[in-house]
Amino acid sequence: MSNEHRSAKSVSSLSASEIARNLQMDFEKSQFHETYIRAAGAVAYVAVVDSKGDEGIGSCFHIGNGIFVTARHVVEGLTIKEVATTKSAYPKEQANSDAIAPRRLTIVEGPHFGPENIDVAVFRVDVGNTPLPAISVSQHTEYDLEEHDLVLADILILGYPPIPYTTIPVQVATLGQINAVVRVRHSPASHFIASTMARGGFSGGVALDRSGIALALVTESLGTDKSLVETGYNSLLSITPAVDLAAEKYGFSLSYGVPGRYSETLVAMRFSKHETTSLSSYVYDAHIYVMDDNRDVFVEMACNDDGVLQAALDAFAAIVSPRVHKRETGLVWFTPADNPAPAKLIAAADSARAQFLASRYLEVATEHSNWQLDTWRGD
């Protein structure tokens, strides 16, 4: 029997569901391939030299206006020798548009770092007159993440782990899944555990969803002190701190020209009791949410302890008088009796927050959108 005949017979023996599943897998890979082609030219390597003269490599990616994101540990305390792309860039949406050759890039500002316990850095390069594709970043925040969000989401990771015996830096693309969303002891930001193998050099690389949106950046391998990098869990830092840092240093905007995220959420906070956080990092016992869209304002507070909820409401009311519209066990929904300025609303929310903290609740997630403060400065 010929090889061709055996092959045809094996295919014909597949069930309809197996054929459909294979076709679906091929379709998904094709989708990710298009995402890869569009994103590859926006991902660069960072060659560095330490004080001893030893060379190293990491990854970074362009989010727009010449702003690149990388992991803090890739560049901190090191001399940046070179930043360069190695893949053709396609500035248009279509992957078959005119290609722009790889190039070396000159840093004109940075790198800048945020808090010491967050492994992220940003810098700006001179793009010149040649377009450079940018990777869109996710709008999610710490406050948004629920206990099941993103788990089993398919992702594409791009970066520059060194490949032995190769003569130049090579960009590596790998598909995987997010297996867990976790909080780690050494950082306040959310981390995603990926199914892909952790490798040095991937640090600072980007993790994309199927549509090409950056969900996170590669930061570290979570393992014991003596374990090899490759044996640890591949840990991805949520993109949120990178957006906040780029907004602070460069006025980076996700929408409407407003630095950072444009959001109607003026301030939002989530709290948990110790017994809850000892079992789950993304199940909450209380929250404060203040919405202000420049026209209407409403506030929602929730807590499974009505006495603590009343104390938080009283603390808020001492600064901004509430007009309660809904009150039930564990929940109160209200609007301010007047039209307070954003700064006053934030002060009232902070006063309510203090009541939760005094009642031994832990603040575990926070979201701020202070564009109103810039718009209404002087109110």
Side-chain angles (χ1 to χ4, degrees):
M1 185 181 293
S2 68
N3 289 335
E4 290 81 0
H5 185 65
R6 282 199 298 269
S7 176
K9 184 177 180 180
S10 64
V11 171
S12 64
S13 67
L14 295 176
S15 68
S17 61
E18 290 173 322
I19 293 173
R21 185 163 57 249
N22 289 341
L23 290 173
Q24 178 64 25
M25 290 174 62
D26 290 341
F27 174 71
E28 291 174 355
K29 288 180 181 178
S30 175
Q31 279 188 310
F32 261 125
H33 193 258
E34 289 296 313
T35 297
Y36 157 70
I37 292 174
R38 291 196 305 270
V43 180
Y45 69 81
V46 184
V48 296
V49 181
D50 66 16
S51 58
K52 297 179 181 179
D54 295 329
E55 296 188 356
I57 192 170
S59 308
C60 61
F61 56 98
H62 182 227
I63 60 173
N65 299 322
I67 303 168
F68 273 79
V69 172
T70 188
R72 180 184 190 127
H73 75 266
V74 168
V75 293
E76 187 176 30
L78 304 171
T79 299
I80 299 176
K81 180 181 177 181
E82 186 174 72
V83 177
T85 61
T86 64
K87 292 292 183 178
S88 296
Y90 300 91
K92 298 180 182 179
E93 286 297 319
Q94 296 79 17
N96 61 355
S97 60
D98 293 337
I100 298 171
R103 54 179 156 159
R104 290 177 172 82
L105 301 163
T106 301
I107 296 178
V108 294
E109 188 178 351
H112 295 292
F113 310 109
E116 289 186 5
N117 55 1
I118 298 182
D119 191 11
V120 68
V122 294
F123 58 84
R124 175 173 265 164
V125 305
D126 180 9
V127 175
N129 297 322
T130 305
L132 183 65
I135 291 174
S136 299
V137 297
S138 173
Q139 291 268 8
H140 77 258
T141 67
E142 289 291 310
Y143 185 88
D144 295 330
L145 290 175
E146 302 282 353
E147 61 176 323
H148 302 302
D149 289 348
L150 299 181
V151 176
L152 295 182
D154 294 327
I155 53 173
L156 166 65
I157 295 178
L158 298 175
Y160 287 86
I163 301 176
Y165 309 117
T166 54
T167 56
I168 58 175
V170 177
Q171 187 183 103
V172 175
T174 181
L175 292 175
Q177 287 182 330
I178 294 176
N179 297 142
V181 181
V182 302
R183 300 190 192 278
V184 292
R185 295 174 183 172
H186 51 276
S187 176
S190 290
H191 286 65
F192 310 143
I193 301 303
S195 63
T196 53
M197 181 182 291
R199 291 186 182 275
F202 258 132
S203 291
V206 65
L208 306 166
D209 68 9
R210 194 182 305 279
S211 66
I213 302 295
L215 298 176
L217 62 144
V218 182
T219 54
E220 61 191 330
S221 170
L222 296 180
T224 59
D225 293 339
K226 297 180 180 180
S227 63
L228 297 173
V229 169
E230 290 79 8
T231 62
Y233 286 100
N234 192 12
S235 179
L236 316 175
L237 173 66
S238 167
I239 197 66
T240 301
V243 173
D244 294 341
L245 183 59
E248 175 190 346
K249 300 300 181 182
Y250 300 121
F252 174 72
S253 173
L254 286 178
S255 55
Y256 302 105
V258 176
R261 296 172 184 79
Y262 177 92
S263 172
E264 295 174 351
T265 303
L266 179 63
V267 60
M269 309 167 192
R270 279 181 159 168
F271 307 89
S272 293
K273 293 182 177 180
H274 173 73
E275 52 265 37
T276 300
T277 57
S278 67
L279 296 174
S280 174
S281 298
Y282 293 91
V283 174
Y284 309 105
D285 297 307
H287 70 255
I288 301 170
Y289 178 78
V290 182
M291 189 284 289
D292 183 356
D293 67 356
N294 225 351
R295 294 173 302 173
D296 301 310
V297 178
F298 79 81
V299 183
E300 181 180 279
M301 290 188 197
C303 180
N304 53 15
D305 185 323
D306 249 9
V308 175
L309 178 61
Q310 185 61 53
L313 177 61
D314 291 343
F316 193 101
I319 298 174
V320 173
S321 298
R323 183 184 292 116
V324 176
H325 297 278
K326 182 179 182 180
R327 180 66 190 266
E328 56 188 43
T329 302
L331 176 72
V332 58
W333 189 96
F334 60 91
T335 56
D338 50 10
N339 188 28
K344 194 171 183 180
L345 285 166
I346 291 175
D350 283 341
S351 182
R353 167 183 176 271
Q355 288 298 315
F356 283 115
L357 298 182
S359 300
R360 302 181 66 81
Y361 283 73
L362 303 174
E363 185 177 355
V364 289
T366 304
E367 179 181 346
H368 290 280
S369 178
N370 290 340
W371 63 268
Q372 295 96 331
L373 294 179
D374 293 331
T375 303
W376 293 353
R377 196 170 299 281
D379 284 1

